[in-house]
């Protein structure tokens, strides 16, 4: 049994990571400022600490406990909010990561970091971990900067790490509305409320949609990995295809700015470690949409 700290463990993905760690017998503490996290996502067996990774005092208190693994999932994790308010997102996504790295440096904990496929240039498909990076927005840049800090800490201080670059994550307990909702949650919420589904641009943007429990499994397996891994399904669907799978009317909005047109993961490196995706998004949609 390992002592695990899940930072952002009251969030959509973090809650699933904490659940799986507990299921596999590990001791779990969740650290979350509850800005987007929900108590409903918190496993009752876990210990919850309400704290903010951008607060130096909160992070000093963290140093009183030694954890074996730190799962860093805390982020302001959408592109458009980062364009509107880059200072706030930078503080959480970059400065917050530095505070977590300082903890790992002092404690010797292994860091499992939630990275993002948004850092890729996106013109070579499927995309491998070593392919060109070209952030098109502040969020993507911040996630790349966080990765670079992680690598510098490893080189300077010997901090060990696993970076998991997620492609578009969906599944149970996803955020359905507000600035931090992702496209699958938005479309399903509109469908459930008998509204026309909002499609930006022509709807032919393609995304590699990856099931949240597969992402959680990668995190737990990542306790024994070192390096950088794409965590994506290895196929993609257009937004128009999603709306057809969900069913219902749709309307078009102006195309979102500064986002890549297509994402598609080369997940060979993770598969070589024994990880594989288990869910296709159309099957999951069929299981949750009332016809």
């Amino acid at each position: 049994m390992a002592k695990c700290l899940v930072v952002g463990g009251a969030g959509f993905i973090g809650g699933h990571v904490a659940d799986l760690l507990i299921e596999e017998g590990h001791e779990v503490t969740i650290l979350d400022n509850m800005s987007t996290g929900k108590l409903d996502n918190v496993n009752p067996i876990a210990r919850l600490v309400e704290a903010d990774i951008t607060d130096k005092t909160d992070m000093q208190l963290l140093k009183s406990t030694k954890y074996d693994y730190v799962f860093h999932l805390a982020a302001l994790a959408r592109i458009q909010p980062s364009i509107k308010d880059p200072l706030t997102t930078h503080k959480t996504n970059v400065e917050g990561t530095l505070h977590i790295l300082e903890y790992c440096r002092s404690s010797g904990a292994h860091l499992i970091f939630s990275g993002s496929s948004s850092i890729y240039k996106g013109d070579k498909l499927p995309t491998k971990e070593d392919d060109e990076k070209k952030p098109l927005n502040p969020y993507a840049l911040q996630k790349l900067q966080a990765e670079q800090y992680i690598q510098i800490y490893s080189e300077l201080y010997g901090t060990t790490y696993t970076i998991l670059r997620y492609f578009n994550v969906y599944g149970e307990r996803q955020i359905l509305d507000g600035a931090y909702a992702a496209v699958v949650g938005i479309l399903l919420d509109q469908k459930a409320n008998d509204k026309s589904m909002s499609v930006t641009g022509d709807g032919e943007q393609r995304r590699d949609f990856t099931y949240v429990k597969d992402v959680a499994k990668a995190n737990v397996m990542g306790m024994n990995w070192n390096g950088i891994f794409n965590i994506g399904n290895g196929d993609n669907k257009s937004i128009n295809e999603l709306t057809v799978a969900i069913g219902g009317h749709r309307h078009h909005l102006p195309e979102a700015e500064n986002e890549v047109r297509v994402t598609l993961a080369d997940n060979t490196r993770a598969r070589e470690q024994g990880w594989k995706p288990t869910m296709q998004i159309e099957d999951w949609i069929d299981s949750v949409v009332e016809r």
Side-chain angles (χ1 to χ4, degrees):
M1 179 181 73
K3 290 188 69 172
C4 301
L5 179 68
V6 182
V7 183
F12 163 43
I13 302 173
H16 285 279
V17 172
D19 287 349
L20 186 56
L21 286 167
I22 289 168
E23 183 181 317
E24 297 201 357
H26 300 292
E27 181 182 328
V28 173
T29 296
I30 288 172
L31 186 150
D32 204 297
N33 68 1
M34 306 307 289
S35 61
T36 59
K38 298 179 180 179
L39 284 175
D40 288 346
N41 294 339
V42 176
N43 191 299
I45 297 176
R47 172 174 171 254
L48 174 63
V49 176
E50 291 194 35
D52 195 315
I53 61 172
T54 67
D55 188 298
K56 290 183 180 179
T57 302
D58 286 353
M59 291 299 98
Q60 281 298 119
L61 293 173
L62 178 63
K63 291 185 177 181
S64 64
T65 306
K66 180 174 172 56
Y67 296 97
D68 302 306
Y69 297 92
V70 175
F71 297 80
H72 179 19
L73 300 106
L76 294 177
R78 297 267 78 83
I79 288 171
Q80 297 307 315
S82 80
I83 293 173
K84 294 178 181 177
D85 187 3
L87 290 177
T88 298
T89 53
H90 179 91
K91 185 175 182 179
T92 296
N93 298 337
V94 181
E95 293 180 26
T97 299
L98 272 171
H99 289 155
I100 295 298
L101 280 167
E102 279 295 289
Y103 172 78
C104 292
R105 173 188 176 187
S106 64
S107 68
H110 182 84
L111 176 65
I112 297 95
F113 176 72
S114 293
S116 172
S117 63
S118 65
I119 69 174
Y120 290 122
K121 186 177 181 181
D123 60 350
K124 187 176 179 181
L125 301 171
T127 304
K128 296 182 179 181
E129 288 86 351
D130 295 331
D131 285 343
E132 187 176 357
K133 319 300 183 294
K134 186 178 180 181
L136 297 178
N137 51 75
Y139 171 70
L141 177 60
Q142 291 153 14
K143 295 302 278 189
L144 181 57
Q145 288 176 318
E147 282 196 14
Q148 291 169 334
Y149 268 118
I150 291 167
Q151 292 168 308
I152 287 291
Y153 266 66
S154 177
E155 292 168 8
L156 290 177
Y157 312 120
T159 305
T160 60
Y161 67 88
T162 304
I163 293 172
L164 306 175
R165 291 184 185 143
Y166 305 156
F167 288 67
N168 291 63
V169 185
Y170 71 92
E172 295 83 0
R173 307 200 302 244
Q174 64 195 331
I175 299 173
L176 298 177
D177 54 21
Y180 292 96
V183 62
V184 179
I186 292 169
L187 296 176
L188 287 173
D189 185 60
Q190 290 170 334
K191 167 70 173 180
N193 289 285
D194 295 320
K195 295 179 180 178
S196 174
M197 291 177 285
S198 303
V199 176
T200 59
D202 62 7
E204 286 303 305
Q205 311 94 315
R206 301 187 71 86
R207 295 289 181 266
D208 189 328
F209 293 102
T210 310
Y211 185 45
V212 67
K213 291 186 179 179
D214 292 335
V215 172
K217 183 66 175 177
N219 273 267
V220 176
M221 294 179 72
M223 295 165 72
N224 298 309
W225 300 354
N226 290 281
I228 302 173
F229 301 85
N230 284 336
I231 303 301
N233 222 52
D235 56 25
N236 59 24
K237 299 287 185 295
S238 72
I239 307 306
N240 287 332
E241 288 173 318
L242 278 193
T243 62
V244 171
I246 294 168
H249 300 291
R250 64 189 180 199
H251 65 278
H252 289 264
L253 300 174
E255 188 158 1
E257 59 181 320
N258 295 88
E259 297 188 18
V260 297
R261 183 75 173 169
V262 179
T263 66
L264 177 62
D266 183 319
N267 57 22
T268 303
R269 191 178 290 179
R271 283 181 175 274
E272 288 174 346
Q273 298 297 319
W275 177 86
K276 62 179 181 181
T278 65
M279 180 67 74
Q280 295 296 322
I281 189 167
E282 57 266 37
D283 294 331
W284 184 81
I285 286 172
D286 197 51
S287 73
V288 299
V289 172
E290 294 186 7
R291 303 297 182 185

